[in-house]
Structure formats: C-alpha cells, structure tokens
C-alpha cells in the first residue's frame, strides 16, 4: 500500500533489477477503474434493535445542505425503523460515554491507590521469590546429602529411591512456581491503569467531534450495541460496567451529589458527610476520610 519496509533477510535479486522490472510492469499495465466507496464513521458499530440487521448510511439533501443519515439495511425482513441523522447519532453515543465520567479527584486518588498496591505487590513478590529460591537451594542440599549417604552405604536403595523421588517432585514444583512468578509478576497493573486511562479519556470524548475516536472507544468497551427508535442502547463490558453501579456522573450510593473536588456534597448539617458509603470508591476507610 505504498509503504516501504526494511527487510532483515538476504535479497534474492539485485535492487537495480527489481526497479527495472517494476518500471516495465508499470509501462505495460492498464489503469484500473475503481468504484469510489463512501466511508461513514458509525457503520459497523451498531445493529438494528428491531430486526438485527446492520446499520448502513447514505447522503441526503435537505434544509439547504447535505446530511448523513443512518438506517437499517433491512436485508433480513421488513423493518419499520426510520432514519437517524448523524448529529443525533453522535449525541446518543456521547450520552453513553458521559455515563462513564468520574470526578477528576476520584481518578487521581484511584491512580494513587493503584501505585500503592503496585509498590506493596512488588515487595511481596520479591519476598516470595526469595523464599522460593531458598527452598530450592535447601532441596538441592538435601538431594546432595541423600546421594552421599547412599554412596557411603548409610541408606538402603529402596529408601534412597523413595526419598529421592519425593525431593525431585518437590524441586519440580518449586521450579514451576518460580517460573510462574517470573512470567506473571504484576500483570494486573497494566490492565488496571489502562482502565483508568480510558475513564480519563471519556470526559474528552463526551464532547469530542472526532467521530472515529468515539466509534473506536465504544467499539472496545461496549457490547450488544443497537439503535432503536433513534436511541442507542449498549452494555458496557467489565470492568466499565462497574462505573454504572457506583453511580457515574457524580452520584454517590446514597444519591447525594458529588462536589467539584470529588467529595460528598451533602451539607445539610453544614459540613461534608463522612459516611463511607458516599462516594463508594474505596473498599476500606482511609486514615483521613
């Protein structure tokens, strides 16, 4: 597609010969006629909520301009769903993204908590790895002593083989744990941080005019995406669906509003509410609620 890549292999023919052949092929080739295909931002994202067909799009003129309309392709059966103008479709998709917006302070504190978990986890992994290495060394020492005892005639062959089998099995199990430890490590950190980054990105996309960015975002985090009666319906995949449970858009579990700094805005008694249920961000109470 017009992009050049550097190969890491030995070329079969000389570069000058390749260029010469390409030049001749170009001279002998005939221009191909290609049908221009329109590309619409929100196609391949939604299905019709009535018949399940794909959503297609087309241009239409009206009110002194040309607009893009989305509609059901109606390839399976008769469908009564009407056209949806692109600006209305965009507004519906933005609403879905808006439901994921969290206060900035929440995201900041969540990121700090992940950093604390990561630091604690790394320390625990180092300690666990050290314990595994110590146990492997102890097992190897026992094997050496067992072999020496057998060679010196202090242990009969039957007891030697039985104990050796136990130690070999133990060493294999410890080696497998060490391999899993080095391979898996802190694999949970990157997905969790990616989730937080996506939530931070939601605020920008909720007012963005980049239609392809909106489509890409919802295509990754949404499932069962349909449009029916000019309304977009979808389910968020895990863990994005948790945001709805926690009352996105600044609502605590008790229904009270959340202030600009992210704290509970219930000030009926002239002070910020101290209930750990609002907002329900943390699983445990901090030292300074």
């Amino acid at each position: 597609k017009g992009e050049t890549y550097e190969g890491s292999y030995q070329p079969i023919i000389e570069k000058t010969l390749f260029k010469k052949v390409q030049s001749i092929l170009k001279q002998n080739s005939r221009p191909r006629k290609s049908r221009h295909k329109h590309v619409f931002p929100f196609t391949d994202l939604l299905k019709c909520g009535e018949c399940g067909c794909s959503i297609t799009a087309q241009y239409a003129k009206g009110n002194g301009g040309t607009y893009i309309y989305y509609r059901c392709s109606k390839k399976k059966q008769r469908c009564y769903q009407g056209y949806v103008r692109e600006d209305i479709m965009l507004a519906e998709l933005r609403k879905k993204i808006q439901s994921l917006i969290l206060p900035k302070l929440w995201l900041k504190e969540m990121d700090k908590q992940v950093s604390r978990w990561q630091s604690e986890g790394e320390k625990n992994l180092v300690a666990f790895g050290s314990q595994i290495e110590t146990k492997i060394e102890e097992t190897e020492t026992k094997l050496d002593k067992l072999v020496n005892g057998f060679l010196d005639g202090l242990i009969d062959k039957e007891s030697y083989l039985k104990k050796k089998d136990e130690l070999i099995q133990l060493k294999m199990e410890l080696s497998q744990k060490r391999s899993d430890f080095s391979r898996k490590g802190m694999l949970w950190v990157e997905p969790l941080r990616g989730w937080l980054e996506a939530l931070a990105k939601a605020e920008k996309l909720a007012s963005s005019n980049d239609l392809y960015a909106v489509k890409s975002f919802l295509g990754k985090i949404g499932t069962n995406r349909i449009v029916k009666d000019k309304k977009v319906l979808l389910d968020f995949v895990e863990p994005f669906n948790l945001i709805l449970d926690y009352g996105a858009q600044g609502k605590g579990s008790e229904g009270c509003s959340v202030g600009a700094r992210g704290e509970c805005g219930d000030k009926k008694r002239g002070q910020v509410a101290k209930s750990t249920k609002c907002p329900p961000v943390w699983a445990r109470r901090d030292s300074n609620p």
Side-chain angles (χ1 to χ4, degrees):
K1 297 184 178 180
E3 184 175 0
T4 302
Y5 297 88
E6 181 181 357
S8 59
Y9 44 81
Q10 187 67 26
I12 300 175
I13 60 174
E14 295 291 335
K15 187 175 181 180
T16 54
L17 177 59
F18 177 81
K19 285 187 174 182
K20 187 176 181 180
V21 172
Q22 295 303 312
S23 177
I24 296 174
L25 289 174
K26 187 175 181 180
Q27 293 175 6
N28 295 339
S29 63
R30 296 180 180 179
R32 297 181 180 179
K33 295 182 180 180
S34 60
R35 181 181 177 184
H36 180 68
K37 184 178 180 181
H38 296 293
V39 179
F40 299 99
F42 298 138
T43 53
D44 301 325
L45 176 66
L46 302 161
K47 296 283 187 181
C48 176
E50 181 176 331
C51 66
C53 290
S54 299
I55 297 297
T56 186
Q58 67 185 59
Y59 287 102
K61 293 182 179 181
N63 298 326
T66 302
Y67 301 90
I68 296 177
Y69 286 85
Y70 291 87
R71 62 173 178 83
C72 175
S73 59
K74 302 180 181 180
K75 291 185 176 180
K76 294 181 179 179
Q77 61 190 44
R78 193 170 185 178
C79 181
Y80 296 95
Q81 292 297 310
Y83 292 75
V84 183
R85 209 168 60 225
E86 187 172 73
D87 58 335
I88 298 177
M89 181 76 77
L90 176 60
E92 283 292 308
L93 295 174
R94 281 174 173 173
K95 287 181 183 179
K96 298 303 177 183
I97 297 177
Q98 286 173 359
S99 64
L100 297 177
I101 296 178
L102 292 178
K104 291 182 179 179
L105 181 61
W106 289 23
L107 292 173
K108 184 178 180 181
E109 291 300 320
M110 291 165 77
D111 186 67
K112 289 181 180 178
Q113 182 62 43
V114 173
S115 297
R116 287 194 286 267
W117 283 336
Q118 183 178 1
S119 179
E120 294 172 0
E122 289 174 349
K123 291 179 181 178
N124 293 335
L125 285 176
V126 171
F128 177 76
S130 178
Q131 292 177 2
I132 293 294
E133 291 295 339
T134 300
K135 290 181 180 180
I136 290 177
E137 292 177 0
E138 291 175 353
T139 305
E140 290 177 344
T141 301
K142 289 180 181 180
L143 276 170
D144 291 339
K145 290 181 178 181
L146 181 66
V147 173
N148 291 332
F150 175 69
L151 295 177
D152 293 340
L154 302 177
I155 306 175
D156 62 274
K157 186 174 182 180
E158 183 178 353
S159 299
Y160 162 75
L161 293 175
K162 181 179 179 181
K163 190 63 178 178
K164 181 184 177 183
D165 181 69
E166 293 178 1
L167 292 173
I168 290 295
Q169 293 293 336
L170 176 60
K171 184 179 179 182
M172 290 175 62
E173 291 176 3
L174 292 171
S175 297
Q176 184 62 47
K177 287 183 179 180
R178 180 176 61 183
S179 176
D180 294 341
F181 158 76
S182 60
R183 184 173 63 253
K184 295 179 181 178
M186 304 286 290
L187 291 180
W188 59 270
V189 175
E190 289 304 321
L192 185 53
R193 290 202 182 279
W195 178 63
L196 293 178
E197 290 174 1
L199 292 178
K201 187 180 180 182
E203 184 174 4
K204 296 180 180 179
L205 288 177
S207 58
S208 173
N209 290 320
D210 189 341
L211 278 59
Y212 290 97
V214 170
K215 173 185 177 180
S216 177
F217 185 75
L218 289 175
K220 292 178 181 177
I221 69 170
T223 184
N224 300 325
R225 304 180 299 270
I226 64 172
V227 57
K228 186 176 182 180
D229 300 328
K230 298 187 178 182
K231 299 290 183 181
V232 172
L233 305 173
L234 59 82
D235 298 322
F236 289 115
V237 299
E238 293 183 346
F240 293 94
N241 59 339
L242 298 177
I243 302 301
L244 301 182
D245 297 336
Y246 283 140
Q249 302 187 50
K251 291 292 182 180
S253 61
E254 300 299 318
C256 49
S257 62
V258 175
R261 295 176 56 193
E263 74 275 11
C264 174
D266 186 2
K267 299 184 179 181
K268 295 179 181 179
R269 298 184 180 181
Q271 61 182 359
V272 175
K274 295 183 178 180
S275 170
T276 57
K277 295 182 180 180
C278 182
V281 181
W282 308 119
R284 63 171 182 260
R285 187 184 181 95
D286 288 337
S287 60
N288 183 9

